[in-house]
Amino acid sequence: MQIVWFKRDLRVQDHAALAAASQHGPVLPLYIVEPDLWQQQDSSTRHWAFIAESLHGLRADLARLGQPLVVRQGDAVSVLREIVNAYEGQTLWSHEETGNDWTYQRDLKVGAWCRDAGIAWHELRQNGVHRRLASRNGWATTWDRIMAEPQAKAPALAPLDCAPGAIPTARDLDLAPDPCPERQPGGRARAEACLNSFLTRRAEPYRWAMSSPLEGARACSRLSPHLAWGTLSLREVTQATWQRQTDPELSRNWSQSLRSFVGRLHWHCHFIQKLEDEPRIEYENMHRAYDGLRPSAPDSTRLEAWAMGETGLPFVDACMRCLNATGWLNFRMRAMVMSVASYHLWLDWRAPGLVLARRFTDYEPGIHWSQVQMQSGTTGINTPRIYNPVKQGKDQDPTGAFTRKWVPELAAIDDRHLQEPWKAENAAAVLGKTYPHPIIDHLSAARSARDQIWAVRRSGGFRQEAKGILTKHASRKTSRRSPRKSRKAAARDDTQLSFPFES
């Protein structure tokens, strides 16, 4: 019996573990619902809702291959032991997972149990992230080679005499209410439709529109939750994009946008690789010189105001309310809201990072915690730049349409003062009544944060540790598929790809 353990890979297409297992015997496709995982601080109901939808689709796809998905609930080792006791000659297959610390510790326990029980566990790579990576040199070229490999074909499966089990609801798992009325739905069919619409209709303005909170909602790929939970493989997306790039009828705008998108597919794995190489960055500052810089216990009033979109900074509040209702923000707005939490509100990155982890439907721990630290200035290798939330509102929402949609309390404030309502002639009629006064002075808060961050960077020994971090985690030269471009253009692109701060 070949047990295929599905985790963040909820598909049958290009599923290396499923294809390999089918070559060695009858396959039992298994998903384990782990109640303890869903009690972790970075888990949320919107995550489970997306997964449950994807599991229903996966079960149907597997049934068409011959054997439906088997779902069991409980501790992973206990569930696997029960299945092993029911069958003989088991082998366990799965993809490698770079998850949070909880899943890492769980995998260590499963590995120890497999060794004790004499069960072989084959973990196969599903993206461009490498276990036990010795050096980042040549990483991008290797990524290209991995993405160019043939996709694993979905195999025929023999039916088993095994009860499929129920896919639990959020209520079954005792998950807290988490209304997200505009959340992207899960499932393979939705993933394929999203990829097709992006590559055939939506991607042309991607390169220029991705920074806009309004235009980006359509021009961005919106594939991130499907990549995070594995209803699409990264190889499928990459190869489909490469194929689209060969179309001789593509306009210059299309070509440039697709080129930028391929670059971001590289960066998807680049950031996950950081957590794979150094799991501690989920909890600890990447550069230890920043330890103790911010209070370890967050200011609960500031954290709550930020999380609920009640800071009195209109563009920040609009972004947080949008995230709460949709489960998604474009990359620039993600960077800005985290920057405001870390610099202007002076919150240690872990607490607001957990808020965002729960609210991003596309929560991918490797990308998330690497970015949270980068946007909080604690990596030691990225220049700390602090977003001006008023300037960002004026630049990225010049008509005010996005801000007005999510902060309707400002309807009486004229466009000229929308991002700074405290300057409006009728401010007294709005602030403190239907909309809060700013909880901080954003200019003085930014100055204070900048002084403290740069004081650390000038401290003794900082550069030496930063050099080690740079060697371990920094990207190298671009891959061979990247077009030739000037040094200035390359620097500009790299800055965008690394999700910059802007003052």
Side-chain angles (χ1 to χ4, degrees):
M1 179 64 63
Q2 310 297 310
I3 303 170
V4 177
W5 181 13
F6 287 84
K7 300 184 192 176
R8 298 176 75 102
D9 49 0
L10 306 181
R11 63 184 184 275
V12 298
Q13 296 84 352
D14 195 30
H15 196 291
L18 177 64
S22 69
Q23 301 300 310
H24 297 274
V27 170
L28 191 157
L30 174 69
Y31 185 85
I32 304 174
V33 181
E34 301 166 275
D36 285 353
L37 173 61
W38 293 100
Q39 297 304 313
Q40 300 305 302
Q41 289 182 298
D42 56 348
S43 296
S44 68
T45 302
R46 66 186 63 186
H47 297 164
W48 177 251
F50 187 95
I51 290 171
E53 292 162 354
S54 301
L55 290 175
H56 284 287
L58 176 60
R59 172 168 280 175
D61 288 343
L62 284 164
R64 282 188 283 271
L65 297 178
Q67 168 55 47
L69 179 69
V70 174
V71 175
R72 295 291 183 266
Q73 185 169 326
D75 169 75
V77 171
S78 299
V79 169
L80 291 169
R81 182 184 293 115
E82 180 180 339
I83 291 175
V84 165
N85 289 339
Y87 298 94
E88 294 182 359
Q90 300 88 350
T91 300
L92 181 61
W93 300 79
S94 73
H95 279 127
E96 294 175 344
E97 179 181 8
T98 305
N100 61 11
D101 182 66
W102 190 95
T103 63
Y104 175 61
Q105 298 300 328
R106 174 255 276 144
D107 281 356
L108 292 178
K109 294 174 185 176
V110 170
W113 173 79
C114 285
R115 289 189 295 272
D116 291 344
I119 295 172
W121 181 14
H122 303 288
E123 293 182 273
L124 306 183
R125 180 188 296 127
Q126 75 159 330
N127 52 34
V129 177
H130 301 262
R131 286 270 169 97
R132 294 171 287 278
L133 182 67
S135 170
R136 277 289 189 131
N137 295 335
W139 188 92
T141 301
T142 301
W143 186 95
D144 277 336
R145 176 181 56 77
I146 293 169
M147 292 302 118
E149 292 173 353
Q151 296 178 25
K153 297 184 181 301
L157 303 177
L160 303 174
D161 182 16
C162 183
I167 297 171
T169 65
R171 179 175 295 180
D172 295 333
L173 294 175
D174 197 27
L175 298 180
D178 180 24
C180 189
E182 298 179 46
R183 174 184 59 81
Q184 282 183 255
R188 174 72 185 192
R190 297 282 188 171
E192 290 177 334
C194 189
L195 176 61
N196 179 67
S197 70
F198 178 65
L199 293 180
T200 61
R201 300 193 302 276
R202 296 188 289 111
E204 183 175 14
Y206 171 82
R207 183 179 177 89
W208 299 271
M210 69 173 77
S211 295
S212 166
L214 272 179
E215 296 178 53
R218 176 173 173 80
C220 289
S221 77
R222 305 304 300 269
L223 294 169
S224 53
H226 296 291
L227 290 172
W229 303 109
T231 52
L232 284 170
S233 76
L234 193 67
R235 182 181 290 108
E236 289 181 283
V237 175
T238 302
Q239 291 185 7
T241 307
W242 284 345
Q243 180 61 37
R244 182 75 170 104
Q245 286 180 298
T246 66
D247 185 345
E249 302 299 321
L250 283 183
S251 68
R252 183 171 181 269
N253 286 350
W254 267 100
S255 295
Q256 290 182 341
S257 287
L258 291 179
R259 188 182 305 131
S260 293
F261 180 63
V262 170
R264 281 152 182 81
L265 294 177
H266 280 82
W267 285 84
H268 170 277
C269 296
H270 164 75
F271 284 108
I272 298 175
Q273 187 71 58
K274 294 174 186 283
L275 185 64
E276 176 67 35
D277 292 343
E278 198 162 5
R280 73 174 185 87
I281 66 176
E282 180 184 349
Y283 295 101
E284 301 174 359
N285 291 322
M286 188 176 290
H287 197 302
R288 304 311 293 263
Y290 291 106
D291 291 356
L293 179 64
R294 297 177 173 97
S296 57
D299 183 315
S300 59
T301 301
R302 289 186 173 191
L303 179 64
E304 179 69 10
W306 172 83
M308 299 307 297
E310 297 287 347
T311 66
L313 300 169
F315 195 51
V316 174
D317 292 342
C319 288
M320 292 303 295
R321 295 181 190 187
C322 174
L323 171 60
N324 295 344
T326 69
W328 185 86
L329 279 177
N330 63 327
F331 80 85
R332 187 178 293 272
M333 295 344 8
R334 295 184 188 215
M336 184 199 68
V337 297
M338 191 64 217
S339 170
V340 168
S342 295
Y343 292 116
H344 298 82
L345 304 183
W346 206 238
L347 300 171
D348 183 77
W349 52 265
R350 176 70 182 168
L354 285 170
V355 171
L356 295 180
R358 291 190 294 270
R359 295 187 181 174
F360 289 145
T361 308
D362 57 12
Y363 171 51
E364 176 69 67
I367 297 175
H368 182 71
W369 293 114
S370 298
Q371 284 296 312
V372 162
Q373 289 224 39
M374 184 174 173
Q375 294 153 15
S376 302
T378 56
T379 67
I381 59 175
N382 303 104
T383 302
R385 294 177 183 157
I386 304 172
Y387 277 101
N388 180 326
V390 172
K391 181 178 183 298
Q392 286 297 305
K394 293 178 178 179
D395 290 349
Q396 305 305 330
D397 187 26
T399 68
F402 177 80
T403 303
R404 291 196 183 281
K405 174 181 179 180
W406 295 105
V407 191
E409 304 97 304
L410 297 178
I413 301 294
D414 64 72
D415 290 345
R416 186 164 50 105
H417 295 303
L418 178 61
Q419 301 300 342
E420 302 172 280
W422 50 89
K423 292 184 177 180
E425 291 79 0
N426 60 337
V430 176
L431 301 187
K433 295 180 174 61
T434 59
Y435 185 68
H437 290 280
I439 61 174
I440 45 92
D441 178 282
H442 72 95
L443 293 176
S444 62
R447 283 193 295 270
S448 175
R450 186 178 293 111
D451 290 345
Q452 294 182 75
I453 287 287
W454 280 99
V456 173
R457 292 178 71 90
R458 290 190 291 268
S459 62
F462 183 92
R463 289 189 177 183
Q464 187 61 34
E465 184 175 344
K467 184 177 180 180
I469 296 171
L470 193 69
T471 300
K472 186 177 184 68
H473 292 296
S475 60
R476 305 299 194 260
K477 292 182 179 179
T478 55
S479 73
R480 59 182 173 81
R481 287 187 181 268
S482 297
R484 293 182 181 274
K485 57 180 74 175
S486 69
R487 181 177 299 178
K488 180 181 290 186
R492 184 168 59 249
D493 266 10
D494 283 348
T495 300
Q496 278 197 327
L497 290 171
S498 60
F499 302 164
F501 302 94
E502 289 196 352
S503 56

